Amino acid sequence: HESTGLQPQPPPEEQNYGATAARGPFVPVSRDAPAKREYLIAAVLSYANLVNFMDWFIVPGILLDIQKYFKLSDGDTGLLQTVFILCYMLTAPIFGYLGDQYNRKIILGAGIFFWSGVTLGSSFINESYYWIFFLSRGLVGIGTASYSTIAPTIIADLFEEGKRTTMLSVFYIFIPVGSGLGYVLAAGMADVTGDWHWAFRVTPCMGGLALVLLIVLIPHRTQRRTAAHRALSISGTIRVAAEKPGIHRTAKSTWWQDVISLAKNWSFVWSSLGLTAMAFVTGALGMWGPVFLYRAQVVQGLVPPCLQESCDSSNSLIFGGITIGTGILGIIAGAEAARRLRKINNKADPLICATSMFVSALCLYIALMMAQTSILSTFIFIAFGELFLSVNWAVVISILLYVVTPRRQSTAIALQILVSHLLGDAGSPYLIGTISHAIQDKNAHTFQWSFWSMQYSFILCSFVGVCGGAFFLLTSFYIDEDRKEAQQ
């Protein structure tokens, strides 16, 4: 186990890490206001998260160039993001376990160094070795998993309950910001240099800076605050739970028992399926959005076909800006709407999610239908579609935290991440690309059919969005009962 570099630890015999800590005694641990160093650590981790998601979305930002360079079909191109997500999804639980057992600073540093090195190396891959490029994206996914699973736990351990929520919100706000900047960086570097390979040579430098800051600012051994410490922390003092009358210790359950219990929690099940639908739509839209907009412009005669060395990347720049703006605004608006409406209706959270999914699906469908006649309207409705999708991210996590009993929340979050990626954005880019490729094969190889094939395949996203809204509606039927049961 790690000892702290930030605060005094209790004696070894009284250190109980993990979910079982609630069964052991606790000792007084005084807690002053967070020091400047702790805010600096959170800032470094947030910056690295920014770089993390910029790396994630470089490929969609220059997808046209990559597709042309490696001579890939729509189906093969969609597989790029699928390989990335699958490697990320499958290795995240492994790094989560390693982070619980070993030094987190070393794992974080190794992850940043690894994904930055692989990203830089992928910029030198020859067109004949497209399979190595696919492999490199999978390796970047592994490096990303090592960071994404561990960094939030350090922030959670640095701050008390009130400030912890704020600092985690700041950390997660860099997901849409980093995603959008990934498009902007990729498109910008391709335009400035005339060579898309340079897009993969900027984030490794930013990752190197993050690594240096991590080494300098984060203590070699970071404090681990147990779930029990977090739950029973009052005015900065941990009380001895066993000495409090009326406080009953919860019996330890196995992982399988927790999974079975969660499977019977219908609020958790339906909200997780709703999140999966959200991930499906955002994964497909994030990968194929700029390409679809480009094909629509070609059909309208607004831009020439991509036959020159470097393709027009203006759509990626605009799409990246839309992603940044709608992501920030959506997350803030969703959290504020939930805060206000909960005072009126106990079922406000799932109803907000359901409404936003239905509206998002409608906006995306209108965008698809108008793409051949008005590119401005298409951008506007895509922006509204992304905005309403972003409304749900913070609200879904909030639902999980109050319908699942605290001792099962880590397992619930892990399962929700696994399912939402496995059935959501891990397969949607590949599925949309495969459907588009199949439609093209059965028709004339023209720019018109190239646009129509993508348009028809994208309609699936609107259908999945409607299903996601229905899942959240079903959540509202069970949420009161499951919330009361979790509180008991």
Side-chain angles (χ1 to χ4, degrees), residues 447-458:
F447 293 119
Q448 182 69 66
W449 270 108
S450 178
F451 164 73
W452 280 338
S453 64
M454 186 60 66
Q455 183 186 46
Y456 296 156
S457 60
F458 251 135

Side-chain angles (χ1 to χ4, degrees), residues 49-352:
N49 200 38
L50 175 76
V51 181
N52 183 9
F53 278 87
M54 287 177 69
D55 254 343
W56 193 318
F57 284 89
I58 284 179
V59 167
I62 48 174
L63 195 60
L64 283 169
D65 291 298
I66 293 174
Q67 190 174 23
K68 182 162 66 73
Y69 183 79
F70 290 112
K71 299 178 177 63
L72 301 174
S73 67
D74 283 352
D76 292 335
T77 306
L79 195 60
L80 272 172
Q81 200 75 341
T82 296
V83 169
F84 177 93
I85 297 292
L86 281 175
C87 290
Y88 168 82
M89 174 191 72
L90 294 175
T91 56
I94 297 173
F95 285 112
Y97 173 78
L98 293 176
D100 285 339
Q101 302 298 320
Y102 302 102
N103 189 291
R104 292 179 289 182
K105 178 179 177 177
I106 293 176
I107 298 173
L108 284 181
I112 294 174
F113 179 81
F114 181 74
W115 98 56
S116 298
V118 172
T119 299
L120 180 62
S122 66
S123 69
F124 299 100
I125 297 174
N126 187 275
E127 63 214 44
S128 303
Y129 298 96
Y130 68 91
W131 61 272
I132 298 180
F133 189 77
F134 277 78
L135 177 62
S136 72
R137 294 312 295 169
L139 293 177
V140 172
I142 294 174
T144 298
S146 69
Y147 183 84
S148 297
T149 54
I150 295 174
T153 66
I154 294 181
I155 293 178
D157 287 342
L158 287 174
F159 299 94
E160 294 291 349
E161 184 62 38
K163 286 187 171 60
R164 184 188 311 132
T165 301
T166 302
M167 298 312 297
L168 284 173
S169 298
V170 171
F171 178 82
Y172 283 116
I173 208 74
F174 282 98
I175 293 178
V177 173
S179 302
L181 286 178
Y183 290 103
V184 173
L185 169 70
M189 289 302 297
D191 284 342
V192 170
T193 64
D195 183 1
W196 63 269
H197 293 86
W198 280 96
F200 290 92
R201 296 167 187 170
V202 177
T203 53
C205 298
M206 299 174 68
L209 175 60
L211 182 58
V212 171
L213 292 173
L214 182 145
I215 292 172
V216 171
L217 291 176
I218 298 184
H220 183 65
R221 297 185 179 276
T222 55
Q223 179 200 18
R224 297 181 186 279
R225 303 181 71 211
T226 67
H229 280 79
R230 294 174 184 163
L232 298 175
S233 178
I234 302 174
S235 301
T237 304
I238 307 295
R239 302 298 182 186
V240 180
E243 296 176 358
K244 293 287 185 180
I247 295 181
H248 303 285
R249 292 175 294 192
T250 307
K252 182 180 178 182
S253 59
T254 66
W255 185 82
W256 278 112
Q257 288 173 328
D258 288 343
V259 171
I260 292 172
S261 176
L262 290 170
K264 296 177 181 178
N265 185 326
W266 288 108
S267 295
F268 170 75
V269 170
W270 291 123
S271 62
S272 296
L273 290 175
L275 179 62
T276 301
M278 288 167 52
F280 184 98
V281 176
T282 53
L285 193 62
M287 185 69 171
W288 289 110
V291 173
F292 172 73
L293 292 166
Y294 159 78
R295 292 183 183 180
Q297 290 173 323
V298 170
V299 169
Q300 291 183 40
L302 299 176
V303 298
C306 182
L307 302 176
Q308 67 272 24
E309 183 64 26
S310 181
C311 298
D312 179 26
S313 302
S314 59
N315 289 317
S316 293
L317 289 170
I318 299 172
F319 194 84
I322 289 173
T323 301
I324 295 171
T326 58
I328 296 173
L329 183 60
I331 290 174
I332 295 173
E336 182 63 18
R339 185 183 69 83
R340 291 176 179 271
L341 294 177
R342 281 175 198 146
K343 301 174 183 177
I344 305 172
N345 189 336
N346 290 334
K347 300 181 179 181
D349 287 352
L351 293 178
I352 289 171

Side-chain angles (χ1 to χ4, degrees), residues 341-369:
L341 294 177
R342 281 175 198 146
K343 301 174 183 177
I344 305 172
N345 189 336
N346 290 334
K347 300 181 179 181
D349 287 352
L351 293 178
I352 289 171
C353 292
T355 302
S356 62
M357 285 298 289
F358 288 137
V359 175
S360 174
L362 177 61
C363 290
L364 291 177
Y365 181 79
I366 294 174
L368 292 174
M369 294 301 102

Side-chain angles (χ1 to χ4, degrees), residues 457-486:
S457 60
F458 251 135
I459 290 176
L460 178 62
C461 288
S462 293
F463 174 75
V464 172
V466 171
C467 291
F471 292 143
F472 284 121
L473 273 183
L474 288 170
T475 304
S476 68
F477 296 152
Y478 299 94
I479 198 161
D480 281 339
E481 180 182 343
D482 290 331
R483 182 195 282 116
K484 292 175 183 177
E485 186 173 342

Side-chain angles (χ1 to χ4, degrees), residues 429-448:
Y430 177 67
L431 181 60
I432 297 299
T434 300
I435 294 173
S436 175
H437 180 65
I439 295 173
Q440 287 184 60
D441 274 353
K442 293 182 179 180
N443 296 281
H445 291 269
T446 63
F447 293 119
Q448 182 69 66

